[in-house]
């Protein structure tokens, strides 16, 4: 049947229809309207869009595991054993062997007594923060923390005291003036997702200790990437045993989906009982948990992937800087090319797409006004040839747009 013939009604109620049309038109004029791009086939260093291949510089698949044969086989084996759908929430009848194994392995890997797995990083942040904190509490949050952290704080109804990005003087001022609260929390991304810089975790934990404050970290872009063993920024800063709440995702370097919260036994038990985004949602398909177990094994057994990732990140950022681009304070495989103007960032991304390079423009509200950029991500799977091809095209497009 023709798709259009199948529509019953392509309009919603009058006022809502006007609101939708006006909002979309406004976003279009401002260059802020987002659209979905179809990817065919697998996630890899090269992807196919509408039958044409592109060098992919916008995936968070840092270790090149999303399409790894061993990961795929782990999923297939688990599907044969445990089926596909979990059928219910973990607390009902969705607590499969693969979930339990993943939690045991993650707790062991992160050297914490317990771990609880969530359906996604977004769900984890929202559920952890909103269940642990409430209206009598205060949360100190870096201005560039991920949206899911901000949403968790809003949902918690705790007071949100933002501090300027990585500004420890400002954080201390806020800590000093916070009195009368029942509980206090400092929460931070460890690798900032849009800037690629690191939170000064050593200084944050020292301040937390001084002002009797708990610390929560989001290791979404650090698991598998930072630390000799890939345990993240907590390992990198040698702070194991000193962070109260360690959250991270299985959707980036681990190549799959899901997230974890590692910490004490009481913390895990509390979240099982109180975190609404854990309780009121269907469990991850057990095969997804099984793939995360395989990814953890690879992260630990193949340090050469991490070495390759860092070698690639260093090469690409150094060459971009040499060409005259502003890559901000990035020190990780997330390399922003600061453009500032939203329309110029969109134009740069479009020109690169026309030349076979896939790299996303990041605009407000994801980044502050006047800080639009291309967000280049480098993976262990990229080759020197990939970088040199991309650099040539970025240089040409950058010159056309007077960026260098
Ligand atoms: C820092 C950070 N935290 C949390 C998330 C959410 O994770 P997920 O994509 O697994 O929902 C992301 C990315 O999407 C992120 O960059």
């Amino acid at each position: 049947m023709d798709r259009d013939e199948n529509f019953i009604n392509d309009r919603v109620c009058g006022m809502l229809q006007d609101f939708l049309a006006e909002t979309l038109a406004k976003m279009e004029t401002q260059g802020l309207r987002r659209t979905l791009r179809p990817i065919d086939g697998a996630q890899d260093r090269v992807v196919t869009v509408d039958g044409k291949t592109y060098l992919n510089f916008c995936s968070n698949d840092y270790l090149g595991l999303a399409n790894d044969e061993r990961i795929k086989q782990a999923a297939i084996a688990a599907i044969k054993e445990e089926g596909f759908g979990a059928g219910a929430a973990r607390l009902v009848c969705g607590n499969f062997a693969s979930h339990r194994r993943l939690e045991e392995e993650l707790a062991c890997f992160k050297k914490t007594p317990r771990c609880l797995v969530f359906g996604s990083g977004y769900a984890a942040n929202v559920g952890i923060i909103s269940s642990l904190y409430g209206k009598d509490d205060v949360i100190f949050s870096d201005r560039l923390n991920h949206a899911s952290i901000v949403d968790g704080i809003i949902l918690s109804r705790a007071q949100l005291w933002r501090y300027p990005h990585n500004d420890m003087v400002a954080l201390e001022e806020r800590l000093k003036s916070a009195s009368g609260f029942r509980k206090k929390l400092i929460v931070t991304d460890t690798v900032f997702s849009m800037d690629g810089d690191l939170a000064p975790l050593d200084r944050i934990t020292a301040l937390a200790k001084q002002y009797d404050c708990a610390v929560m970290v989001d290791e979404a872009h650090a698991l598998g990437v930072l630390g000799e063993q890939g345990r993240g920024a907590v390992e990198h800063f040698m702070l194991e045993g000193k962070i109260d709440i360690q959250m991270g995702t299985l959707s980036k370097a681990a190549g799959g989906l899901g997230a974890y919260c590692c910490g004490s036994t009481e913390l895990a038990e509390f979240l099982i009982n109180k975190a609404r985004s854990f309780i009121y949602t269907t469990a991850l398909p057990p095969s997804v948990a099984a793939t995360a177990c395989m990814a953890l094994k690879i992260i630990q057994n193949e340090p050469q992937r991490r070495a390759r990732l860092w070698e690639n990140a260093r090469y690409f950022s150094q060459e971009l800087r040499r060409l005259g681009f502003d890559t901000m304070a990035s020190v990780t495989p997330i390399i922003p090319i600061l453009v500032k103007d939203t329309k110029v960032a969109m134009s740069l991304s479009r020109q690169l797409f026309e030349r076979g390079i896939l790299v996303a423009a990041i605009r407000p509200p994801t980044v502050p006004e006047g800080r639009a950029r291309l967000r280049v991500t480098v993976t262990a799977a990229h080759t020197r040839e990939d970088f040199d091809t991309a650099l040539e095209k970025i240089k040409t497009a950058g010159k056309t747009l007077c960026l260098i």
Side-chain angles (χ1 to χ4, degrees), residues 71-72 74-76 78 101 254-257 286-296:
I71 299 275
K72 292 194 276 191
I76 292 164
R101 181 159 68 95
L257 182 67
S287 55
V288 175
T291 63
C293 292
M294 177 56 76
L296 270 188

Side-chain angles (χ1 to χ4, degrees), residues 60-66 68 70-71 102 105-106 109-110 219-232 235 249-256 260 291-307 309 380:
N60 300 314
D61 178 28
Y62 300 114
L63 298 176
L65 295 184
D68 184 279
R70 293 163 295 177
I71 299 275
L102 175 60
E105 291 182 3
L106 271 166
F109 181 58
K110 299 287 286 179
E219 295 263 53
H221 297 274
L223 180 85
V225 172
L226 276 173
E228 208 163 303
Q229 307 291 317
R231 290 200 294 272
E235 182 196 1
T249 63
L250 303 164
S251 50
K252 319 248 185 285
Y260 60 83
T291 63
C293 292
M294 177 56 76
L296 270 188
K297 204 179 199 176
I298 299 172
I299 286 172
Q300 291 170 86
N301 294 346
E302 299 182 9
Q304 66 275 18
R305 279 179 186 265
R306 209 158 20 262
L309 169 68

Side-chain angles (χ1 to χ4, degrees), residues 120-123 125 146 148 189 191 193 218 220-221 247 249-252 257-259:
S120 73
Y122 188 92
N125 275 334
H146 190 259
S148 53
D189 286 14
V191 172
S193 56
D218 177 337
H221 297 274
M247 173 272 174
T249 63
L250 303 164
S251 50
K252 319 248 185 285
L257 182 67

